[in-house]
Amino acid sequence: MKIDHDKCVACGNCLPICPMGAIYIDPSVNRARINSDECVECFTCYRGMSKEHLNPTLVRAIRKTAQFFRFRFDPEPDICPTDALVPEELSWPRVVRRAFSDPQVPHESTGIHGRGTAEVKTNDVTDRVKDGEAGFARFRDIDRVTRALAELDVEFESNNPVASLMLDPSRGVIRPEILDEKVLSAIVEIKTRLEDVPSVLKKIKELSRELATVVSLGVSTRCGNAGEDRLSEILEREGYPTYRGKTNLGLGRVTVVHD
């Protein structure tokens, strides 16, 4: 994202809209600027504000006159009065930021909106996690996490945008040119045997103390016909109180009718 300085009137309405705090008023030019290193191209500022097309010169004159007479003239707080926010054409590797940060953009590797993956919650239809297996989902430092998990001989979900960015999935190595790209969030999906769940939990807990980000962990498995599962026992034993965040009922499966 860029801000057109010919249009910007430094009203500051866009500052609180940015989830990264990347927009600021530059006092040297009395215009808003975007810190391109902090911006994750989520397009929240562009889509989250109403846009008026007032003449910038007129707005500045009114604001200056109002300042002279010591009263404020400000547009409504959710409006960019002069439509000064401008989306730019993104190229590689910068485009990775938007793919993982803008929920309205489908990821090119999967065609799925959001963070590019429907996650294991679709398992009822996709059958990604089999009986006796467990699937994880979590956030970055992506390269450190994937390399550490690869050492545990886990299986990375191939239909996941993070996996599509790996040079070597067997070692969890992410393409080096994107390592400096900042994203709003990302999901790494892996699959492992139920008996290996404790070692994965331990590794993620160790990593979470070192990473400069929030780590959220979800674990899923298949239930038996009576709703029982072995995973809950494992998690309780490892000190993770459990509750069922979601249980699929099998309604997404194709029904086979026999004559």
Side-chain angles (χ1 to χ4, degrees):
M1 296 298 300
K2 294 290 183 183
I3 294 177
D4 186 342
H5 282 188
D6 290 334
K7 293 183 177 181
C8 178
V9 295
C11 67
N13 285 354
C14 54
L15 272 66
I17 295 293
C18 177
M20 305 304 299
I23 307 178
Y24 64 99
I25 301 295
D26 184 348
S28 66
V29 293
N30 196 30
R31 299 287 188 275
R33 290 190 186 275
I34 296 178
N35 183 332
S36 61
D37 185 55
E38 291 298 319
C39 174
V40 293
E41 308 295 353
C42 64
F43 274 48
T44 299
C45 58
Y46 185 71
R47 288 197 306 267
M49 303 186 71
S50 300
K51 300 175 181 63
E52 293 182 344
H53 302 275
L54 302 178
N55 183 289
T57 302
L58 175 62
V59 174
R60 292 189 195 110
I62 294 175
R63 285 170 58 84
K64 192 170 183 178
T65 302
Q67 185 179 22
F68 178 80
F69 287 103
R70 298 184 181 278
F71 69 87
R72 292 177 61 86
F73 171 76
D74 289 316
E76 293 297 321
D78 61 345
I79 290 176
C80 179
T82 55
D83 192 20
L85 291 157
V86 182
E88 289 199 317
E89 188 73 25
L90 301 178
S91 58
W92 181 264
R94 179 100 188 170
V95 69
V96 170
R97 298 192 180 208
R98 190 175 184 201
F100 283 92
S101 303
D102 187 342
Q104 295 193 15
V105 173
H107 197 279
E108 63 178 13
S109 69
T110 61
I112 298 174
H113 290 74
R115 287 164 291 191
T117 173
E119 306 168 59
V120 79
K121 63 190 176 186
T122 62
N123 195 66
D124 189 46
V125 175
T126 59
D127 198 30
R128 296 155 96 176
V129 179
K130 307 290 193 296
D131 288 331
E133 296 178 334
F136 287 78
R138 126 206 23 78
F139 182 51
R140 72 180 296 260
D141 259 21
I142 299 172
D143 188 62
R144 292 188 63 185
V145 169
T146 52
R147 285 174 185 260
L149 292 176
E151 294 175 358
L152 300 179
D153 198 29
V154 302
E155 179 182 344
F156 290 101
E157 168 58 49
S158 59
N159 192 32
N160 174 282
V162 173
S164 72
L165 297 173
M166 292 183 184
L167 284 178
D168 184 356
S170 67
R171 295 190 296 123
V173 177
I174 303 292
R175 298 174 66 163
E177 66 268 29
I178 67 169
L179 294 182
D180 289 332
E181 297 301 327
K182 188 173 185 178
V183 298
L184 199 58
S185 73
I187 293 176
V188 177
E189 294 176 276
I190 66 169
K191 191 167 62 173
T192 190
R193 297 175 302 174
L194 279 173
E195 50 266 36
D196 293 333
V197 167
S199 60
V200 173
L201 292 173
K202 180 180 178 181
K203 177 59 69 175
I204 293 174
K205 190 171 184 178
E206 292 172 352
L207 283 169
S208 69
R209 299 188 183 106
E210 304 170 3
L211 302 178
T213 185
V214 175
V215 177
S216 176
L217 173 66
V219 195
S220 303
T221 193
R222 278 191 174 278
C223 297
N225 292 334
E228 75 283 1
D229 72 274
R230 292 165 49 201
L231 179 62
S232 295
E233 300 175 9
I234 296 172
L235 295 176
E236 292 281 357
R237 191 168 62 244
E238 295 299 316
Y240 293 87
T242 61
Y243 64 93
R244 291 193 174 181
K246 180 173 183 179
T247 301
N248 289 330
L249 302 177
L251 302 178
R253 301 175 191 165
V254 176
T255 301
V256 179
V257 179
H258 299 282
D259 293 334

